[in-house]
Amino acid sequence: MNDRAAAARPLKVELREVGLRYFGREGETEALAGISLGVAEGEFVSIIGQSGCGKSTLLSLVAGIMAPTSGAILLDGRPVRGPDRRVGYMLQQDYLFEWRTILENTLLGAQIQGVEPRAARDRAVMLLSRYGLGKFMDHLPRQLSGGMRQRVALARTLCTDPDVVLLDEPFSALDSQTRIAIADEIADILRREGKTAILVTHDIAEAIGMADRVIVLSRRPGRVRSSHLIEFASAGAARPSPMQARNAIEFNGYFNRLWQELEVHVEG
Amino acid sequence: MSRADPGVIERAEAAAPSAAYRRFLRAERRGHLFVRLAQAGLLLVFLLFWEFAPRYGLVNPMFTSYPSALWPTFLGLLHGTANQPGILEHAASTVVATVVGFSGAMVVGVIVAAALWWWKRLYRVLDPFLVVANAMPKIAFVPIFYIWLGATLSIYGMALAISVFITILMLHAGFEGVDANKVKLAQTFGASRWQVLRMVVLPGSVPTLIAALKVNTGLALVGVVVGEFQSASLGLGYLIQYGSQVFKLDIVMTAITLLAVLSALMYLAIAALERRVLARR
């Protein structure tokens, strides 16, 4: 356990002994058990674990669209009771609405939250222009490539200006080159804007490349198995981009350690 | 953030078409022309057979009339008589009842389907009743509707009854079929149930709404004509009934042909609506 970075700043998100059980006709499933972790303000945390270990569920709990069976989730020290404006969520695919233009899609969250339309529009236009989508604002989602659509999804998430951004394998639908490029871009944007971010992924390289800290979950029921601070002393003061991080000398060490932690077994 | 994104469609359209592409376009056009000619040909063969089969004694002209007799009959019926309105008034009455029927079915369908989407348990309770109500031959109720509702309302009632249940079932299936992840996305922004319905479920179900409209216009027309058989003194259904009772097949065939024309017009209107609405997708 290594939480030096987290200890320095106030906790933005905190999970205390969180447990979750699913109930169904075939019985109950324990998805998460006794999860305790804290994410400091401005910190970028990756959570890795094998499929079905409850990673995505963890994000749904922080987002307030599900309630834990036991334990508590705190945002700025107060319990989460439902979806909160301070939290933005990027799902596994862009889920752009095909009947809305790019600009209208970007405005979805702002409209739901009743943000003043002109202010919301200005912010959406600013974000889209900044992400290189200024020319496509009146296009429909089907006219855009996968990478562009994912940038629109990011603009939609950031349009409501959340403090915390939850990323649920947001690159899994992209081809591998676009995936690395977009991860680079999104990590850069989130870091520059000082967002607190929690990324869920099963891609070890992605987790190391983007995060300040990587948390490994065990198999179901998911528990915190270990927590690894990611530092690239060799890269100097500035944090390297996810792509540069892959070339840093520390990278392989982290990768091998996490690989062993994950206890990957290929069923044969 | 300066990378060329592959896969933007616009690029391909700008270049001049190659010879192979022009050949492809020509073949496409020929294929299209063939389909249209075949359709016109089929219609022509049908009309010729209908015209000449009675003339050569293959069938009794008393039973079938002739296509060439339709136009004079139509003109003869145009002005009506002292106790019989003109054929266009009959047609107008049928059209009005049909429009009332399918509009009513759409409105009731959307409201009920939304309620069933909202209260899942209500749907579970009502599901078997809806399925049975949909499978019931509503035509069995024509005499009862006449007694309950009177001459005019029973026709509207039949048009509504025959089309409303399938509309509810189709729309509800469409509402439930909207991608759960889109709903989840709206919920992560804190959307209320009402916002989910208004911003995700309804706009996401527009293709289903159009499909339901296509089905229930046809059904409403069936309901109207059957209702008119029983109870009306106006409408094409009545005219068919009247024509067969006095054994004037010219009248019956003219009214039926007019119904076919009306069906085609309704179909074209919906197709135009569909193109307009779905152009954005």
Side-chain angles (χ1 to χ4, degrees):
Chain A
M1 286 278 186
N2 196 341
D3 281 57
R4 273 176 293 127
R9 287 166 286 179
L11 287 184
K12 186 76 191 173
V13 180
E14 193 183 352
L15 280 75
R16 285 189 191 153
E17 289 295 317
V18 168
L20 185 90
R21 290 162 181 275
Y22 285 111
F23 304 112
R25 216 159 280 172
E26 276 91 53
E28 53 182 315
T29 313
E30 191 171 26
L32 297 170
I35 301 243
S36 291
L37 60 94
V39 181
E41 196 158 349
E43 194 185 10
F44 199 130
V45 170
S46 295
I47 297 175
I48 59 173
Q50 296 192 19
S51 314
C53 74
K55 307 185 292 279
S56 300
T57 310
L58 197 67
L59 290 192
S60 294
L61 293 172
V62 176
I65 54 177
M66 277 169 90
T69 324
S70 62
I73 294 145
L74 308 179
L75 187 63
D76 289 325
R78 296 231 186 82
V80 171
R81 300 204 188 286
D84 192 295
R85 282 169 195 229
R86 286 167 294 175
V87 179
Y89 199 155
M90 277 185 82
L91 303 175
Q92 295 188 353
Q93 286 171 43
D94 54 69
Y95 298 116
L96 297 180
F97 292 179
E98 62 271 20
W99 58 89
R100 284 178 168 235
T101 64
I102 295 310
L103 181 62
E104 288 164 351
N105 265 294
T106 310
L107 285 168
L108 179 73
Q111 284 170 0
I112 289 171
Q113 296 176 3
V115 176
E116 199 271 313
R118 201 168 315 148
R121 195 178 185 284
D122 288 347
R123 184 166 165 80
V125 169
M126 185 268 287
L127 288 169
L128 289 172
S129 313
R130 202 190 283 172
Y131 304 162
L133 295 161
K135 281 189 298 178
F136 300 97
M137 287 195 284
D138 297 321
H139 282 55
L140 292 168
R142 63 172 154 82
Q143 297 170 291
L144 269 58
S145 67
M148 294 166 88
R149 292 173 62 116
Q150 205 56 42
R151 289 209 288 271
V152 177
L154 178 70
R156 181 182 58 197
T157 306
L158 295 186
C159 191
T160 55
D161 200 15
D163 305 337
V164 180
V165 177
L166 309 176
L167 304 134
D168 186 1
E169 305 195 32
F171 318 117
S172 52
L174 302 174
D175 63 79
S176 58
Q177 286 118 38
T178 315
R179 180 175 178 140
I180 293 173
I182 285 283
D184 247 26
E185 212 169 293
I186 289 184
D188 181 46
I189 291 165
L190 293 176
R191 229 173 262 284
R192 244 186 304 128
E193 305 211 352
K195 305 290 184 198
T196 305
I198 304 177
L199 167 75
V200 151
T201 180
H202 55 246
D203 184 325
I204 301 174
E206 193 171 276
I208 300 169
M210 293 182 81
D212 302 316
R213 192 152 53 101
V214 177
I215 289 169
V216 182
L217 290 193
S218 67
R219 289 158 185 255
R220 191 154 63 201
R223 300 170 195 274
V224 176
R225 196 179 153 84
S226 58
S227 170
H228 306 261
L229 204 60
I230 306 293
E231 281 169 331
F232 294 99
S234 65
R239 157 85 204 194
S241 75
M243 190 61 218
Q244 292 162 343
R246 285 169 199 249
N247 295 320
I249 47 170
E250 293 92 342
F251 186 84
N252 278 334
Y254 289 132
F255 191 96
N256 291 332
R257 192 132 45 94
L258 291 171
W259 174 265
Q260 280 160 16
E261 290 275 344
L262 270 179
E263 335 163 70
V264 183
H265 300 295
V266 179
E267 313 284 319
Chain B
M1 187 168 335
S2 59
R3 49 185 58 88
D5 239 301
V8 182
I9 310 159
E10 285 157 313
R11 214 157 295 155
E13 292 165 0
S18 66
Y21 182 58
R22 282 199 301 275
R23 268 200 305 283
F24 165 78
L25 286 182
R26 263 201 309 280
E28 280 285 279
R29 270 197 300 274
R30 265 202 306 276
H32 189 72
L33 191 67
F34 171 80
V35 170
R36 287 279 176 254
L37 284 176
Q39 287 167 338
L42 268 179
L43 191 63
L44 192 70
V45 166
F46 171 73
L47 289 175
L48 285 175
F49 185 74
W50 182 9
E51 181 71 37
F52 289 103
R55 288 189 194 282
Y56 289 101
L58 290 173
V59 292
N60 187 343
M62 282 285 282
F63 296 159
T64 61
S65 184
Y66 312 92
S68 60
L70 297 184
W71 184 244
T73 312
F74 178 77
L75 292 179
L77 288 168
L78 209 48
H79 291 294
T81 59
N83 50 7
Q84 182 74 273
I87 190 166
L88 291 182
E89 276 177 73
H90 287 296
S93 170
T94 299
V95 168
V96 168
T98 306
V99 171
V100 168
F102 76 70
S103 310
M106 262 343 249
V107 171
V108 174
V110 169
I111 293 171
V112 174
L116 296 178
W117 173 85
W118 194 286
W119 294 290
K120 312 280 181 217
R121 198 160 285 179
L122 180 68
Y123 172 71
R124 280 171 59 194
V125 172
L126 293 184
D127 180 45
F129 300 103
L130 283 169
V131 171
V132 171
N134 183 51
M136 277 283 291
K138 263 72 70 179
I139 291 168
F141 287 91
V142 166
I144 306 174
F145 273 35
Y146 182 55
I147 296 167
W148 287 349
L149 300 170
T152 316
L153 277 184
S154 70
I155 293 168
Y156 294 171
M158 188 44 61
L160 185 69
I162 212 167
S163 54
V164 75
F165 296 107
I166 187 68
T167 305
I168 292 171
L169 290 173
M170 279 180 77
L171 292 183
H172 179 260
F175 290 178
E176 291 292 343
V178 168
D179 190 344
N181 284 303
K182 286 186 176 138
V183 174
K184 182 178 173 186
L185 173 75
Q187 285 167 343
T188 66
F189 287 115
S192 64
R193 230 165 144 59
W194 171 242
Q195 281 177 318
V196 169
L197 181 65
R198 201 165 44 86
M199 299 172 94
V200 187
V201 172
L202 286 178
S205 300
V206 168
T208 311
L209 285 166
I210 303 261
L213 191 61
K214 276 185 189 161
V215 170
N216 77 12
T217 41
L219 287 175
L221 189 57
V222 172
V224 168
V225 171
V226 173
E228 285 170 348
F229 282 168
Q230 165 83 29
S231 55
S233 51
L234 194 60
L236 292 175
Y238 160 76
L239 202 60
I240 291 167
Q241 185 83 340
Y242 166 80
S244 60
Q245 274 163 4
V246 298
F247 228 80
K248 283 190 178 159
L249 271 291
D250 292 348
I251 294 179
V252 175
M253 289 304 177
T254 304
I256 289 175
T257 307
L258 199 51
L259 277 175
V261 171
L262 289 178
S263 304
L265 288 178
M266 284 194 313
Y267 171 79
L268 288 176
I270 295 172
L273 177 75
E274 184 174 22
R275 270 196 305 278
R276 263 186 79 123
V277 174
L278 298 190
R280 294 203 67 184
R281 284 159 198 262

